[in-house]
Amino acid sequence: MRVRVLYFADAREAVGRAEEWLDLPPGVATVGALREHLCARGGAWTVLSRRGTRFAVNRAVAPGANAAICDGDEVAVFPAIS
């Protein structure tokens, strides 16, 4: 599965990019699994594990970690105060 990930505000500054396309491994099909996958990169990527970091899928705020993501989705990452 391939998704486009957009990073905003503190997340963008921490990871050093505004967006990227990711080919996700099997089993990464929810917002929570994507967060874990990104944080596993280590270093600055662990900023995404901060409490209050929010995700949106196709411009709709994800209701929680179990929110599904599908091939071709756009996933936005932003701090709660954005």
Side-chain angles (χ1 to χ4, degrees), residues 1-7 15 17-26 28-31 33-41 45 48 55 69-77:
M1 170 170 42
R2 186 170 171 86
V3 297
R4 181 180 179 203
V5 183
L6 307 174
Y7 304 98
V15 302
R17 63 185 71 177
E19 67 178 84
E20 67 179 313
W21 281 92
L22 288 177
D23 292 311
L24 300 177
V28 178
T30 65
V31 167
L34 176 61
R35 178 192 298 239
E36 290 176 14
H37 177 71
L38 293 170
C39 288
R41 291 175 165 179
W45 293 95
L48 304 181
F55 288 76
I69 53 175
C70 300
D71 188 49
D73 280 352
E74 179 183 271
V75 181
V77 183

Side-chain angles (χ1 to χ4, degrees), residues 7-12 50-54 77-82:
Y7 304 98
F8 293 94
D10 292 347
R12 179 180 57 222
R50 285 185 187 160
R51 182 181 171 129
T53 299
R54 301 291 303 220
V77 183
F78 54 97
I81 58 171
S82 284

